[in-house]
Structure formats: structure tokens, C-alpha cells
Amino acid sequence: MKQLILLFFSAFLITNCGTSSKSSASSVNMNEAKTVDPTVYASTITAEELKEMLYKYASDEFEGRETGEKGQKIAVEYLKNQYQSLEIPTPLGNDNYFQEVPLEKQSVSEAKISVNGTEFKSFEDHIVLRADNNIDLITNDIVYVGYGIDADNYSDYKNIDVKDKIVLAKAGEPKDANGNYVTTGNSEDTKWSNGRQSLSSKRDAALQNGAKGLILLDSYMFIRYAPFYQRQAANGASGRLSLKSNDDGMVMLMVNENLAKALYPSILEDEKPKELKTNLNLAIENKSEQISSENVVAYIKGSTKPDEIVVISAHLDHEGIKNGKIYNGADDDGSGTIAILEIAEAFKMAEKAGHGPKRSILFLHVTGEEKGLLGSRHYTDNDPIFPLENTVADLNIDMIGRIDPKRKEGDRNYVYLIGSDKLSTDLHNISEEVNKKYCNIELDYTYNDDNDPNRFYYRSDHYNFAKNNIPVIFYFNGTHDDYHQPSDTPDKIEYDLLENRARLVFYTAWEIANRANKPVVDKATE
């Protein structure tokens, strides 16, 4: 890391992303940030330092940084040491930079099920998707909830009591006479009808309405999932990591038509919720291993609005070691992780010079992104260090060191932006004008399209903030042949682009942190 004196020499150098003190004026009123020239501090974000740190962070020493494993522990200690060397404190106090994220690694559980005295077989008729505790119950009190949807304009839970009961639902979502989904009024798949996302959406709806279990008929997904679960069980392999639940006894099963019709013969034809008087015997042994993992948190306290928080996030984990090969994850997401360290240094230099941000900045390195956005979900859903209602925006950085080979037109000096306009027109305009004033990077919104088949908006840690109506920007360079491969190594990073993109995030955070008004949320979702 540099000494402060270097700032005043580098401030006069002109690079691709605004380190000249003579940067052009913007058409947007940015009076709040004019009193201090942020290019002085942006100049501390350099390709040379990014390269030095990334060669360390994405080295074999870190063993691929798999969540809960040795390499991830090395990674969090590295990040902690960096913040300590920068004299940037932790919001947790007492030099505790680690927010504990409780996880479970669950082996495949097998259920014993009988309906009205008829037994059904694991993997042929049913699979256990979730079992937080051992289950041993006999009941004839099951509630059919149609599609299991609970949205503002359509709910299968309206006027029916499911508290402490098992609910039965089916896949999909009803459509109107024009073939449009009833929850949105258009034909594009929603969170209730889109594969894996629908599983979590219907589970959450059941849980939020007080149900203790969900049985879901999804014939298409069952055909795909059942053989995989059976192989996992036969091999004694562990399932996916998940957040350790505080819910008492929540269980989720996926079943085929054979079992679903035993529970309710008219399930395929009928959509109307109703109580069922069907005798169900269900026994499950929960098989799980407790795993410890950590988010890393550091912050700079705001000078005049310390209770308002700007979050800058990236995920610290990667894929670990597979078949003896280390997945170093230099771009994914070593690039974002190291970028945050450089951005943090720039803000700290400003603070030391008497120009600290008006709002507080939280530097949030999350674990378990590769396992399902677990670290960020723990932060937003279980343990927000700062209240979500005080969180102004999340700027999330996930892969900003490479060039997308599928991008055939446009400037090499680009970045994909996702989500900037989805909740706040203000945030989108701030982002655009900051870029025009300081960087002139080509901002590419290809993957911001609501119809993007890749659904990148839902696939990185910003989404856990966005679902809580916190404005977000996701900075991304796109995928490449080395994505999730052991060949994602630091020698393939375009360090000049990494520098420019990191500086863009810094300038955007600077403007959000120092302007008089926080971005207005004018497109809040349900």
C-alpha cells in the first residue's frame, strides 16, 4: 500500500479513468462532491497494486477459497490483515472483522412415507429437499394450496389457515385468458414459475404463512432431481451447503404424480385451496454437519450522516479443489475482492486528509456466494449489521478483470451494469453522470434486460439487497472459457481494465456517500 505523499504526485497523471484534477463538468448537479477533488484519491487505485494483491489472493496457497474449508480461512485472515494495515476499523468492534455465517452441510435424507396405509418409495416417488430437524409425524390435517403462491395481486393462502400444518402445492403459476401469468400480466417466467427459483419462492411463502412443511408436485423437476439425489445417497455424498435455519422443523418434499394424487386425487385439475382429510405418516432423519464460515466487514464512519450506509460488496469464496486441481478464481471473484481493498484505501486516504465520506461506507466481503448467495443472504435476512432501512445502496462487484469473448462490438474499455435502474432512477442517473465526468467507460446494459435468459440479476450478492428494495448496481465483465475452471488465473487478468472499473465504483460510491440526498427508490417491488 502507498504512503499518503504519493497522492500528490499521482494526482496529476492522466489515465483512462479520471485521475486528472481537470476532469470535465457534468450536466447533473453534483455540488455536494465539488468541494473535494476525488481524482486525488482515485489515483491510489492502480493496476500495479491490484496485480500484486491478486497474484497473492488467487494463488495456490489459498486453495481455491472454498466456503468453510482451509483456503477460505486463509482468505478471511488475509482480508482482515489488509484492513488492519490500512487502519480501517470493523463495525463489530474489538478487532472482530468476521461476521459468523452459520451453515449446514446436509447429506441426502430419505423419508418413509405412507398415505392412507399405502407406502411410497424414496427417489421413486419422493425426495427430501429440506429437513431442518428429525421428523416423525402422523397427521390427517393437510392443506392444499393450489400453486402455493403468495403475491400482492394473487394468493393461494388467502382465507385459509396453514399455521403448523403440512401444505400441498403444485408447480407452475396460473395464467389469464390471454396466456399471461396472473402475478405479472405478461408471459415471461416469474419467480413462481421458473425452475429452481420457484422452489425457494414457494418454500418461503409456506414458511411465511406459518406452515411447518411443504409437499410440492413438480413432475418435470422430479425427473431431473431424483436420480441425482439417489446417486448422492448411494455414495454417501454431502448435499449443498445451506444457511443453518432458525425455523423449527420446516420440511420440504418434492413428489411425483403418483404420490400427489394419493394425497389429493384432483390435484391436476383443481386450483382451489382446501383442507384435505388424508392420513399421512412421515418420518425423516435429519443428517447434517455444522460448518463455520465468515463474512469480512470493515467500515469508514460517515462524518455527517453516519447512520446512512453505502455498501460495497464482493464475494471472497470460490470453488476450492476438485479432482486435485485448484480453482483459483482470479476473476471470480478475486478481481472484485481486491478492487474493494483498493477502493477502501482510497476512502481512507480521503478520511486522513480530512475529507471522509458524509455517509458511512461498509466494505462487505461475503462468503458462500458460489453455494447460493449464502453470506449476503445471512447479512440481509438474518443479521444485518446496519439496519436495512438505513442502507442507501449496494454496489456489488463480481468479475471485473476480463473481457467477454462473446462481446463482438464496442470498446474494450467497458463494463456490464446490471440493476442500476430496476429500483431507483436516481441511482441509474448518478451512475451515468459519474462515469461521464470521470471515466468514460462504455456502460453496457446487455444483461440488464428483464428478459435476459442468463438471469444474472438474480445470480450475485446484490440480489439479496435488491429483494429488500435497496438500490443496487452489479458490476460485471461477463463470463469466459475460464469461468468456474482451474484456468481462471491471475495472469489472464486485464489489469488496466480492472483499475478503470474499480475507479468507477469508487467514484460512484463517493458521489452517493457525499451528495445531499440519498437515491430515491421510485420502483419498489412487492
Side-chain angles (χ1 to χ4, degrees):
M1 290 295 176
K2 301 173 199 56
Q3 300 299 318
L4 182 59
I5 192 171
L6 293 180
L7 293 171
F8 302 101
F9 293 99
S10 59
F12 297 99
L13 299 176
I14 299 176
T15 65
N16 289 335
C17 193
T19 56
S20 170
S21 60
K22 297 182 180 179
S23 47
S24 60
S26 168
S27 60
V28 164
N29 184 357
M30 300 172 77
N31 290 327
E32 300 84 3
K34 284 182 178 178
T35 56
V36 180
D37 181 7
T39 63
V40 173
Y41 307 108
S43 66
T44 67
I45 301 171
T46 68
E48 291 76 14
E49 282 198 346
L50 289 161
K51 183 175 183 178
E52 179 183 352
M53 288 192 291
L54 190 53
Y55 264 83
K56 176 71 171 179
Y57 193 75
S59 68
D60 287 355
E61 175 188 348
F62 286 64
E63 298 186 358
R65 310 187 303 275
E66 183 173 2
T67 301
E69 301 297 331
K70 176 185 174 183
Q72 183 249 306
K73 305 301 182 183
I74 296 171
V76 298
E77 287 293 338
Y78 174 84
L79 296 173
K80 172 184 175 180
N81 292 337
Q82 293 296 313
Y83 283 113
Q84 287 178 324
S85 69
L86 289 169
E87 299 179 349
I88 298 177
T90 167
L92 301 176
N94 299 321
D95 283 336
N96 178 17
Y97 287 82
F98 300 154
Q99 180 190 37
E100 298 296 327
V101 180
L103 301 174
E104 288 184 336
K105 182 183 290 185
Q106 188 170 29
S107 298
V108 175
S109 297
E110 295 186 44
K112 295 181 179 180
I113 297 179
S114 66
V115 177
N116 296 326
T118 301
E119 294 186 359
F120 294 86
K121 296 181 179 181
S122 283
F123 312 120
E124 292 185 20
D125 300 304
H126 55 82
I127 52 176
V128 179
L129 298 182
R130 170 175 171 173
D132 294 335
N133 295 303
N134 293 336
I135 304 293
D136 190 2
L137 66 83
I138 301 174
T139 182
N140 64 352
D141 196 6
I142 299 170
V143 180
Y144 176 55
V145 291
Y147 292 98
I149 295 171
D150 190 13
D152 286 346
N153 61 339
Y154 177 92
S155 178
D156 290 306
Y157 288 91
K158 188 177 180 179
N159 300 323
I160 195 162
D161 180 18
V162 301
K163 185 173 177 56
D164 295 327
K165 297 177 182 178
I166 301 290
V167 298
L168 171 67
K170 60 183 176 182
E173 177 180 352
K175 296 181 177 182
D176 62 21
N178 297 319
N180 295 319
Y181 287 118
V182 297
T183 60
T184 60
N186 62 52
S187 60
E188 300 299 326
D189 282 352
T190 75
K191 69 177 184 178
W192 302 106
S193 53
N194 187 287
R196 288 174 56 183
Q197 192 180 11
S198 73
L199 301 182
S200 59
S201 298
K202 295 186 179 188
R203 176 202 66 204
D204 291 345
L207 189 59
Q208 290 161 10
N209 281 277
K212 66 180 179 182
L214 169 64
I215 300 174
L216 179 66
L217 166 62
D218 191 329
S219 298
Y220 173 73
M221 295 288 281
F222 187 85
I223 291 172
R224 294 174 55 200
Y225 275 40
F228 172 77
Y229 274 60
Q230 187 169 24
R231 288 194 301 270
Q232 292 285 88
N235 295 333
S238 296
R240 293 179 60 192
L241 283 181
S242 62
L243 282 176
K244 188 177 186 306
S245 175
N246 294 322
D247 307 313
D248 184 16
M250 179 65 183
V251 60
M252 182 176 181
L253 304 172
M254 185 185 292
V255 302
N256 63 6
E257 279 188 26
N258 187 34
L259 176 49
K261 286 182 176 180
L263 291 165
Y264 181 45
S266 301
I267 188 170
L268 297 181
E269 301 81 22
D270 190 7
E271 299 175 6
K272 186 177 180 180
K274 55 179 58 67
E275 294 183 359
L276 305 176
K277 296 301 178 183
T278 302
N279 293 317
L280 170 68
N281 286 26
L282 174 63
I284 304 173
E285 180 184 357
N286 178 40
K287 301 176 180 179
S288 62
E289 173 188 355
Q290 306 303 306
I291 301 294
S292 68
S293 193
E294 304 83 17
N295 293 334
V296 178
V297 290
Y299 91 127
I300 293 176
K301 187 175 182 180
S303 59
T304 60
K305 299 181 179 182
D307 293 335
E308 295 186 12
I309 312 298
V310 179
V311 178
I312 306 176
S313 62
H315 69 89
L316 62 88
D317 62 305
H318 194 55
E319 295 283 310
I321 302 174
K322 299 179 181 179
N323 300 318
K325 295 182 178 180
I326 298 175
Y327 287 61
N328 298 107
D331 193 24
D332 184 16
D333 186 27
S335 61
T337 301
I338 298 308
I340 289 185
L341 291 176
E342 283 283 85
I343 293 166
E345 179 191 28
F347 273 109
K348 186 62 180 180
M349 291 295 190
E351 184 187 51
K352 285 183 176 180
H355 303 306
K358 294 178 181 179
R359 293 181 174 87
S360 296
I361 310 287
L362 176 66
F363 307 104
L364 175 63
H365 301 263
V366 293
T367 188
E369 190 271 353
E370 302 290 3
K371 307 299 183 182
L373 315 184
L374 301 181
S376 57
R377 180 149 62 91
H378 177 68
Y379 181 93
T380 59
D381 294 11
N382 299 336
D383 186 24
I385 295 171
F386 297 101
L388 296 185
E389 57 267 26
N390 293 352
T391 303
V392 172
D394 172 49
L395 306 181
N396 183 55
I397 314 171
D398 192 350
M399 300 175 61
I400 60 166
R402 296 282 294 271
I403 296 174
D404 183 353
K406 296 185 291 295
R407 191 175 183 273
K408 302 300 183 183
E409 298 179 0
D411 195 338
R412 170 182 178 273
N413 187 26
Y414 79 97
V415 68
Y416 293 123
L417 293 194
I418 301 172
S420 63
D421 63 347
K422 291 192 182 298
L423 292 168
S424 172
T425 304
D426 265 358
L427 180 61
H428 178 75
N429 291 340
I430 290 167
S431 170
E432 283 278 335
E433 294 299 336
V434 163
N435 182 55
K436 289 177 184 177
K437 184 174 183 179
Y438 297 111
C439 293
N440 289 314
I441 295 174
E442 182 181 338
L443 304 183
D444 189 328
Y445 295 98
T446 296
Y447 295 122
N448 192 55
D449 190 329
D450 289 340
N451 298 321
D452 169 32
N454 299 284
R455 297 179 66 80
F456 285 129
Y457 178 65
Y458 303 95
R459 289 172 53 184
S460 191
D461 295 294
H462 62 280
Y463 180 69
N464 283 317
F465 290 89
K467 73 182 185 183
N468 287 287
N469 286 318
I470 296 168
V472 302
I473 303 177
F474 171 21
Y475 299 86
F476 180 51
N477 54 222
T479 58
H480 40 73
D481 289 343
D482 303 307
Y483 174 65
H484 282 191
Q485 297 297 322
S487 52
D488 181 7
T489 49
D491 57 297
K492 296 175 182 174
I493 297 295
E494 308 276 352
Y495 287 96
D496 60 332
L497 299 184
L498 179 55
E499 174 189 289
N500 287 346
R501 293 160 178 171
R503 287 179 177 179
L504 174 62
V505 179
F506 167 75
Y507 284 124
T508 306
W510 177 278
E511 171 62 18
I512 297 169
N514 288 299
R515 69 197 322 260
N517 300 313
K518 63 185 180 181
V520 174
V521 179
D522 59 342
K523 302 178 183 180
T525 59
E526 64 177 68

